[in-house]
Amino acid sequence: MDVKEQVREKYGAAALRVKSGGSSCCGAAPSSGCTDPITSNLYDASQTGAIPEEAVLASLGCGNPTALAKLEPGETVLDLGSGGGIDVLLSAKRVGPRGKAYGLDMTDEMLALARENQKKSGVENVEFLKGEIENIPLPNNSVDVVISNCVINLSADKDRVLKEAFRVLKPGGRLAVSDVVTHGQVPDDLRKSMLLWVGCIAGALEESDYGARLARAGFDGIDIETTRVYNVEDARAFLTGQGVDVDAIAPQVEGKFRSAFIRAVKPASSSKECCGPSCCS
């Protein structure tokens, strides 16, 4: 299977585990209590207490973009790879009844779980869409903020994802995503592992490369803020059981994998009138 099908299978299984009373971690290994160093302890009690428990258990993210995106009442938000819906529901509460929160996911099981969580929460200004983050089913210039939580790194075509995010944002709109990035050279064994790609590690971009791709997509105001640096013990936690030599690899990844909050802005439209045949092309 290719990357996309691996992601679909693993995250669909994660949703089913949550519905049966379990929880899920970034690597999608069965667990009754997530101890994954990437996905653990991302939301405070005031947030988790306001949404269904299943939305919390299904969280597969590496950050909390809703806390960092500075959402305003009345805004329209799109969450790429919305999973069980935790960030969509939190965003909907932030933007209020005059705003709206969309969740986009390609996995039927996650969409079903998210819609159940929406029903339980009673939040009405939410819509979950089926689709792929490389082909967002929304029109140009239709949302104020694009968020995502450790999903863009899973795509095999990240440039396409960033271009699509740019397209659907209104002029002056904001990208505010949490993702895993790398700093420095990463062992080839990790890069080649499909399972680790699905587990949020091998698909991570080097942070300067991430910024360059955002710029090529058209974004301004690019900022990559490290929120957590993973150490050797963290590496052991997410490498164990992944088919690699943990003792050999873990010391090599000390400090190289990081969770980051990534901000960028779609430039506002120019106020100048077109003055010739090519200036508006």
Side-chain angles (χ1 to χ4, degrees):
M1 289 185 290
D2 63 13
V3 172
K4 189 172 293 182
E5 290 307 310
Q6 287 273 0
V7 171
R8 195 191 311 272
E9 178 183 290
K10 293 293 184 180
Y11 282 67
L16 294 176
R17 283 201 303 275
V18 170
K19 292 185 71 172
S20 65
S23 64
S24 179
C25 297
C26 198
S31 173
S32 59
C34 184
T35 58
D36 189 308
I38 292 178
T39 63
S40 301
N41 303 317
L42 303 177
Y43 302 90
D44 62 37
S46 66
Q47 294 175 309
T48 58
I51 56 177
E53 182 182 13
E54 290 82 0
V56 180
L57 293 174
S59 175
L60 299 164
C62 57
N64 183 353
T66 63
L68 299 171
K70 298 181 180 179
L71 302 178
E72 301 292 340
E75 289 189 318
T76 299
V77 183
L78 167 64
D79 181 18
L80 300 180
S82 49
I86 183 170
D87 293 317
V88 178
L89 296 176
L90 290 173
S91 295
K93 291 178 180 293
R94 295 275 298 280
V95 300
R98 294 187 296 107
K100 184 163 186 176
Y102 289 101
L104 175 64
D105 206 282
M106 67 176 182
T107 308
D108 289 328
E109 296 87 349
M110 279 294 186
L111 285 167
L113 178 61
R115 287 167 179 148
E116 287 181 15
N117 289 331
Q118 179 191 358
K119 186 176 180 180
K120 290 176 182 177
S121 70
V123 178
E124 296 183 354
N125 58 329
V126 162
E127 183 176 351
F128 289 101
L129 307 171
K130 183 175 181 180
E132 299 176 353
I133 62 176
E134 297 86 359
N135 295 284
I136 299 171
L138 288 173
N140 297 351
N141 308 318
S142 56
V143 302
D144 298 291
V145 185
V146 171
I147 65 172
S148 185
N149 200 344
C150 205
V151 171
I152 294 175
N153 69 82
L154 298 176
S155 174
D157 192 352
K158 298 174 181 63
D159 288 328
R160 173 76 181 186
V161 176
L162 297 177
K163 289 176 182 177
E164 278 288 274
F166 185 89
R167 177 185 66 80
V168 300
L169 279 169
K170 298 175 184 178
R174 313 185 303 283
L175 179 83
V177 305
S178 294
D179 222 336
V180 173
V181 298
T182 64
H183 183 78
Q185 186 175 359
V186 174
D188 288 342
D189 288 351
L190 296 186
R191 292 292 186 195
K192 293 176 182 177
S193 172
M194 184 72 73
L195 182 60
L196 290 180
W197 196 313
V198 174
C200 305
I201 300 172
L205 293 174
E206 206 280 331
E207 55 187 322
S208 62
D209 185 20
Y210 209 131
R213 291 172 187 246
L214 284 165
R216 287 200 299 270
F219 286 100
D220 283 342
I222 298 164
D223 180 65
I224 300 177
E225 175 188 350
T226 297
T227 55
R228 182 170 180 180
V229 178
Y230 301 109
N231 59 29
V232 168
E233 292 310 310
D234 292 328
R236 290 185 186 279
F238 60 63
L239 291 173
T240 298
Q242 307 291 350
V244 298
D245 186 339
V246 176
D247 290 333
I249 293 291
Q252 297 180 54
V253 299
E254 169 75 22
K256 292 183 178 179
F257 285 104
R258 305 175 177 200
S259 289
F261 189 64
I262 297 150
R263 301 177 179 88
V265 178
K266 180 175 180 176
S269 297
S270 173
S271 60
K272 295 181 180 180
E273 295 183 1
C274 188
C275 55
S278 64
C279 66
C280 295
S281 61

